[in-house]
Amino acid sequence: GEPAAKRGKLSGAKQAYRTADGGHAVGLADREGPADAEPLLEPVIRDGEIVNGETFDLDKAAERALADAERVDYGSA
């Protein structure tokens, strides 16, 4: 029941961001992200309850992952 994190330069809850040029950045969740970036992580469960009464849609998540990969040309030779 106690929060725990590895000690280091960036301990605590994180947020991942997609920048306008298709790059990614990671920072602490309670701080501002890059100015041109979109936050990527959203809570699915909070305090043991599903957020907003919605269920996690694996198909939509897979579609977003594929779109992200295409956006940054991931997997090209």
Side-chain angles (χ1 to χ4, degrees):
E2 292 291 321
K6 177 182 168 185
R7 289 188 197 182
K9 295 179 182 178
L10 200 60
S11 61
K14 311 295 186 293
Q15 177 58 275
Y17 301 91
R18 180 186 308 114
T19 59
D21 64 358
H24 293 88
V26 176
L28 292 173
D30 61 354
R31 296 187 185 166
E32 289 286 324
D36 66 341
E38 163 191 13
L40 299 176
L41 302 178
E42 297 178 18
V44 175
I45 296 175
R46 184 177 290 131
D47 297 325
E49 299 293 326
I50 296 173
V51 177
N52 298 327
E54 297 178 16
T55 59
F56 180 73
D57 189 330
L58 186 58
D59 292 330
K60 285 184 181 180
E63 288 173 16
R64 285 192 306 269
L66 287 173
D68 284 350
E70 289 174 6
R71 178 186 240 173
V72 296
D73 204 24
Y74 182 79
S76 299

